[in-house]
């Protein structure tokens, strides 16, 4: 039971997302520039593309668009991950999906904390891609135990944040005053720190093992490493970035450009080196690059069948390319993607009839006015115009894309090959709970929307 005086977790998340964006904008001015570019592009698309504008208006997504963003962090220990899960739970965020990044040579596995119900997503779709370092992949045993000891010494949460998490769990929520303090305290975990926790030499050793290991181990906390706004046309933004002095990665991750966008397309730019102070140096003599910028365009969530088709076509294009996409082969990669994806139906009707994507059903004016429809099957209600169908937006991430984003920001030079495989069970043990299967969530939302239509038709 929620107490009438408690602030809803959705509202806490909405405020936290805003506070995070304000903090990041102040810390990384380029993020502000990117946000302006995205806003301008979105306005242009809404003014010039009636189909997109109508679609966003009728699903209500138009209201969340300006505040829509995701962030990413990386943590070092099971205890950190488990406490983060509790912190995010206060904001109504659950771990959705399991992503294994080791096939791409990145020694982490991940989940995405986000709201799970469409009503909550509408209040704030804020998501945080959260990775756990797999220390067991450091082969040098001495370095591994050094990394472990450094991590064991740090506390990434403020004492007040921990108290408020416990209070929220105990009381079943937070009062207005507590919620305000919680947002302030929780933000501290994600702040950037110029001072490292290791010497310059220790940093070098960690970094030589993998740059990501240094990023996780050598600092006081899991600084937010990017915040990603949602654009309605990623190709425009990609083309405009250089005009604004920003150099994007060579290719856009995810599916190729389509009439009916599916899943998620992403591009990022490398952040600058930032001055840091190692423990054995006076002042900010060292440097570290961790923080970058990213933008994304979201499309329809795919069913298991649609996702299998996506994975097959993506793999076929990549196999034919025979290499990771890069500057030199970008044109060929894009051509191969377009060619292979011609097999994926590019109309919403086609995707719905073949059950490739999830949709939401809405009653139309005509449907509302008609009472004698009670016995018609769903398809006939749609074809007669009593129900309207809109694609359900994809709220999650893609492992191959995430690997491409990681790599472009860690430098592509060193490709590490790990002999290990995904270990969802170990991840969930560290997390202290199971991750939620994202496909089930989309199916539920689709089902609820159909039920609501039928209920309105008095079935
Ligand atoms: C996360 C990279 C993945 C995405 O949007 O797929 C990612 C990281 O670099 O920590 O952000
Ligand atoms: Ni990202």
């Amino acid at each position: 039971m929620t107490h009438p005086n408690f602030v809803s977790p959705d509202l806490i998340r909405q405020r936290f997302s805003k506070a995070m964006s304000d903090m990041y904008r102040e810390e990384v001015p380029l993020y502000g520039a990117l946000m302006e570019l995205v806003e301008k592009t979105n306005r242009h698309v809404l003014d010039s593309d009636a189909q997109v504008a109508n679609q966003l208006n009728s699903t209500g997504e138009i209201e969340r668009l300006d505040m829509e963003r995701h962030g990413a962090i990386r943590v070092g220990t099971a205890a950190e991950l488990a406490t983060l899960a509790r912190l995010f739970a206060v904001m109504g965020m659950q771990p959705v999906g399991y992503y294994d990044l080791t096939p791409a040579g990145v020694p982490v596995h991940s989940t995405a904390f986000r709201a799970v119900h469409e009503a909550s997503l509408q209040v704030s779709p804020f998501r945080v891609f959260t990775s756990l370092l797999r220390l067991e992949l450091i082969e040098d045993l001495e370095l591994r135990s050094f990394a472990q000891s450094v991590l064991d010494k740090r506390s990434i949460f403020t004492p007040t944040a921990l108290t408020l998490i416990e209070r929220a769990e105990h009381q079943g929520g937070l009062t207005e005053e507590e919620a305000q303090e919680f947002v302030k305290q929780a933000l501290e975990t994600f702040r950037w720190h110029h001072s490292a926790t290791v010497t310059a030499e220790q940093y070098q050793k960690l970094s030589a093992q993998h740059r990501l290991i240094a990023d996780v181990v050598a600092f006081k906390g899991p600084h937010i490493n990017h915040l990603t706004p949602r654009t309605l046309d990623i190709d425009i933004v990609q083309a405009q970035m250089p005009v604004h002095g920003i150099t994007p990665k060579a290719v856009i991750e995810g599916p190729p450009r389509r009439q009916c966008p599916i899943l998620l397309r992403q591009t990022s730019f490398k952040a600058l080196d930032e001055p840091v102070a190692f423990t054995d140096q006076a002042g900010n003599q060292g440097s570290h690059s961790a923080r970058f910028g990213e933008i994304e365009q979201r499309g329809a969530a795919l069913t298991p069948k649609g996702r299998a088709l996506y994975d097959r076509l993506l793999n076929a294009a990549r196999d034919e390319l025979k290499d990771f996409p890069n500057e030199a082969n970008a044109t060929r990669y894009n051509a191969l993607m377009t060619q292979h994806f011609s097999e994926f139906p590019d109309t919403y009707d086609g995707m719905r009839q073949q059950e490739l994507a999830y949709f939401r059903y809405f009653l139309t004016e005509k449907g509302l006015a008609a009472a004698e429809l009670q016995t018609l099957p769903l398809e006939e209600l749609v074809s007669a115009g009593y129900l309207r169908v809109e694609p359900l937006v994809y709220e999650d991430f893609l492992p191959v894309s995430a690997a491409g984003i990681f790599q472009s920001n860690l430098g592509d030079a060193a490709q590490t090959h790990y002999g290990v495989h995904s270990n969802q069970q170990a991840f969930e043990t560290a997390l202290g709970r199971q991750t939620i299967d994202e496909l089930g969530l989309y199916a539920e939302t689709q089902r609820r929307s159909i039920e609501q239509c039928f209920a309105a038709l008095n079935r």
Side-chain angles (χ1 to χ4, degrees):
M1 279 298 108
T2 45
H3 197 272
N5 288 335
F6 290 157
V7 181
S8 88
D10 294 337
L11 220 52
I12 301 179
R13 179 176 66 260
Q14 191 190 66
R15 291 180 191 173
F16 181 78
S17 166
K18 168 82 166 62
M20 179 88 102
S21 181
D22 291 346
M23 177 176 85
Y24 201 64
R25 195 169 192 154
E26 212 166 276
E27 288 182 354
V28 183
L30 217 49
Y31 169 65
L34 193 64
M35 283 212 342
E36 277 160 32
L37 178 56
V38 167
E39 273 163 30
K40 210 172 105 195
T41 307
N42 289 357
R43 242 178 290 128
H44 167 78
V45 173
L46 289 170
D47 288 344
S48 59
D49 189 332
Q51 189 196 331
V52 171
N54 287 339
Q55 188 181 312
L56 295 182
N57 271 311
S58 59
T59 58
E61 270 167 76
I62 193 80
E63 285 154 38
R64 61 177 240 191
L65 184 65
D66 284 344
M67 56 175 168
E68 182 149 0
R69 60 186 74 94
H70 83 252
I73 55 168
R74 306 147 183 175
V75 293
T77 67
E80 289 176 354
L81 182 67
T83 308
L84 265 180
R86 294 169 56 210
L87 178 138
F88 284 131
V90 175
M91 302 186 240
M93 297 162 84
Q94 316 276 337
V96 179
Y98 171 77
Y99 304 88
D100 175 27
L101 279 302
T102 52
V106 184
V108 302
H109 43 186
S110 322
T111 191
F113 287 95
R114 68 168 177 88
V116 295
H117 191 286
E118 59 274 16
S120 297
L121 286 161
Q122 179 65 15
V123 179
S124 168
F126 183 56
R127 328 164 174 83
V128 181
F129 191 88
T130 304
S131 301
L132 174 65
L133 181 62
R134 295 177 74 176
L135 275 179
E136 76 272 18
L137 298 182
I138 303 184
E139 274 156 25
D140 179 341
L141 288 184
E142 204 179 311
L143 192 68
R144 188 195 299 177
S145 74
F146 169 72
Q148 186 72 59
S149 73
V150 173
L151 289 169
D152 286 344
K153 267 187 250 150
R154 75 180 187 182
S155 170
I156 64 171
F157 306 98
T158 69
T160 310
L162 293 173
T163 307
L164 288 169
I165 293 170
E166 271 165 36
R167 193 169 304 166
E169 289 170 347
H170 233 82
Q171 300 175 158
L174 295 178
T175 64
E176 176 59 40
E177 203 182 316
E178 289 165 345
Q180 282 184 20
E181 187 61 20
F182 173 81
V183 168
K184 224 172 98 197
Q185 297 287 335
L187 202 59
E188 289 307 308
T189 296
F190 305 92
R191 192 183 286 287
W192 173 255
H193 298 278
H194 289 283
S195 46
T197 54
V198 300
T199 66
E201 195 194 332
Q202 288 163 340
Y203 174 89
Q204 287 312 329
K205 277 201 186 134
L206 292 165
S207 184
Q209 188 63 206
H210 199 296
R211 284 184 53 186
L212 192 102
I213 296 174
D215 182 58
V216 175
V217 175
F219 297 91
K220 286 182 186 155
H223 38 256
I224 186 92
N225 66 48
H226 64 281
L227 266 190
T228 304
R230 174 178 170 189
T231 180
L232 298 176
D233 191 327
I234 199 167
D235 295 289
I236 295 183
V237 182
Q238 173 93 347
Q240 285 290 312
M241 275 157 78
V243 182
H244 292 76
I246 308 170
T247 311
K249 71 195 282 298
V251 303
I252 293 174
E253 298 289 343
R257 185 179 184 86
R258 296 160 46 90
Q259 288 298 320
C260 303
I262 52 170
L263 297 173
L264 175 65
R265 302 182 72 210
Q266 299 173 303
T267 185
S268 63
F269 60 85
K270 232 181 265 187
L272 301 174
D273 286 338
E274 303 189 67
V276 295
F278 293 112
T279 53
D280 59 335
Q281 291 175 343
N284 291 346
Q285 289 177 32
S287 89
H288 176 69
S289 91
R291 300 189 295 176
F292 60 95
E294 184 193 31
I295 34 158
E296 65 188 13
Q297 181 176 358
R298 291 188 171 265
L302 300 186
T303 61
K305 185 181 168 198
R307 181 56 189 267
L309 179 58
Y310 171 79
D311 287 337
R312 176 164 71 72
L313 299 175
L314 179 71
N315 288 336
R318 292 205 170 213
D319 285 351
E320 203 173 329
L321 188 71
K322 294 193 183 71
D323 202 356
F324 283 106
N326 56 42
E327 315 268 322
N329 62 23
T331 310
R332 187 164 134 75
Y333 176 70
N334 290 333
L336 284 171
M337 287 291 282
T338 306
Q339 180 197 319
H340 283 277
F341 272 83
S342 62
E343 204 186 306
F344 203 117
D346 196 9
T347 62
Y348 289 124
D349 273 347
M351 291 189 323
R352 202 168 62 84
Q353 267 138 28
Q354 294 186 40
E355 295 187 355
L356 296 171
Y358 290 109
F359 292 87
R360 281 162 85 181
Y361 294 76
F362 300 88
L363 210 57
T364 59
E365 293 287 318
K366 188 176 167 192
L368 258 176
E372 76 281 13
L373 306 166
Q374 297 178 10
T375 55
L376 286 184
L378 186 69
E379 274 319 300
E380 282 174 43
L381 290 170
V382 172
S383 58
Y386 297 115
L387 297 188
R388 195 162 34 80
V389 190
E390 302 288 359
L392 183 55
V393 66
Y394 189 61
E395 306 282 355
D396 293 287
F397 295 86
L398 297 167
V400 174
S401 298
I405 299 292
F406 263 112
Q407 266 151 2
S408 75
N409 296 292
L410 293 167
D412 305 313
Q415 290 288 347
T416 318
H417 289 282
Y418 295 110
V420 297
H421 295 293
S422 78
N423 195 340
Q424 183 163 355
Q425 210 182 339
F427 184 83
E428 291 178 341
T429 303
L431 181 66
R433 56 165 291 178
Q434 291 192 321
T435 54
I436 299 169
D437 167 36
E438 68 276 16
L439 295 169
L441 296 176
Y442 297 118
E444 281 289 290
T445 297
Q446 176 173 286
R447 187 184 55 74
R448 276 193 290 266
S449 83
I450 295 172
E451 270 173 10
Q452 278 159 16
C453 290
F454 283 165
L457 291 168
N458 279 324
R459 293 222 215 184

